Amino acid sequence: MLGIIKKDFYDTFCIPKNLLSNICGYALLPVSMLVLGSNEWAMMLFLIVCIPASSIAVLQAAMAQDEKVRFDDIMLTYPLSKRKIVLARFIDNLLFIAINAFISLILMLGYVYGYRTVGFQTGVLYWTVGLVVSLFMTAIFSVGFYLLGNKKGTILYFVLVGVGAGLYGMARFLPIEKILDMDQWTLIGIGFVNSVIVLFVSYWACLKLYTRRHS
């Protein structure tokens, strides 16, 4: 399993076009932060939408490369069960979520102590919501990629991210403050538990899809 994980991160960060894409994506964050200034809605956009939306990047890069060289067929010759192959890909996602969480933390601290957009407690709140959203997105998009493959899965990914961004924009006109006043940490705790449950269901669904495709 460790070999698969190393290979997937190599595909994501060492293949030139993927490396360039990641560098540009991460460089765009501080540039956008400087352009938009001390805007709380921009802060929430980065922490809760943009960064979590990239949580599936390692799986997408790995599947794209696998389809090019038919690595799926090669993996099936290894002394690994299908369960471990799919589990390795989910570990990929969790490791990348951890990397994104660190980057998101730096961004959050920039808004809290640099721009003084919000207090530290509110910043941690947004950062934690981003983690919960990352788990949900990983669960949903993983099923999409295993069900549709890389190309169609990527199309679905962009469509759903666009819908999510649109809903976020619409949320600016809703009484979000009243919702956030409803014992925020309890809501986040409920969201986290549900996201973990959804992630386990997603793993089971992806395993079934992978097994059916390679049976």
Side-chain angles (χ1 to χ4, degrees):
M1 278 193 355
L2 181 59
I4 294 175
I5 294 170
K6 288 181 177 179
K7 173 262 179 193
D8 291 345
F9 273 85
Y10 176 89
D11 289 343
T12 306
F13 293 104
C14 295
I15 292 179
K17 69 180 183 66
N18 292 339
L19 175 62
L20 180 62
S21 175
N22 281 305
I23 290 175
C24 291
Y26 286 127
L28 188 61
L29 288 174
V31 172
S32 300
M33 182 178 172
L34 290 172
V35 171
L36 295 175
S38 57
N39 186 313
E40 184 174 358
W41 278 95
M43 175 187 180
M44 294 173 66
L45 177 65
F46 293 140
L47 300 185
I48 300 176
V49 180
C50 295
I51 295 178
S54 68
S55 299
I56 204 73
V58 175
L59 176 62
Q60 189 278 327
M63 291 188 75
Q65 192 64 19
D66 288 354
E67 289 184 3
K68 287 182 180 179
V69 300
R70 300 185 65 84
F71 188 71
D72 257 348
D73 296 333
I74 298 173
M75 278 195 296
L76 293 172
T77 66
Y78 294 164
L80 282 173
S81 64
K82 294 182 177 68
R83 178 180 62 83
K84 288 185 177 180
I85 292 174
V86 175
L87 180 60
R89 293 287 165 77
F90 271 75
I91 293 174
D92 288 344
N93 292 332
L94 294 177
L95 290 174
F96 196 61
I97 287 174
I99 294 172
N100 276 349
F102 178 72
I103 294 171
S104 180
L105 178 63
I106 295 175
L107 202 68
M108 181 270 286
L109 293 175
Y111 274 105
V112 170
Y113 294 109
Y115 280 134
R116 300 188 182 278
T117 302
V118 297
F120 179 73
Q121 185 174 356
T122 302
V124 172
L125 175 71
Y126 295 157
W127 180 76
T128 308
V129 171
L131 292 181
V132 174
V133 173
S134 295
L135 294 175
F136 269 114
M137 285 190 169
T138 295
I140 294 170
F141 291 136
S142 292
V143 173
F145 276 104
Y146 274 95
L147 178 64
L148 302 174
N150 175 58
K151 291 182 179 179
K152 292 181 179 178
T154 301
I155 294 172
L156 176 65
Y157 165 79
F158 281 114
V159 169
L160 291 181
V161 169
V163 170
L167 292 175
Y168 173 81
M170 292 171 59
R172 298 191 63 173
F173 305 100
L174 299 176
I176 298 298
E177 293 78 9
K178 293 182 179 179
I179 297 175
L180 293 178
D181 286 340
M182 297 170 55
D183 196 3
Q184 301 159 358
W185 291 107
T186 299
L187 291 174
I188 291 175
I190 294 172
F192 175 76
V193 171
N194 286 330
S195 68
V196 171
I197 294 172
V198 171
L199 198 62
F200 275 105
V201 173
S202 173
Y203 168 72
W204 176 83
C206 290
L207 179 58
K208 292 296 182 182
L209 290 168
Y210 186 81
T211 301
R212 185 176 66 184
R213 179 174 298 177
H214 295 284
S215 59

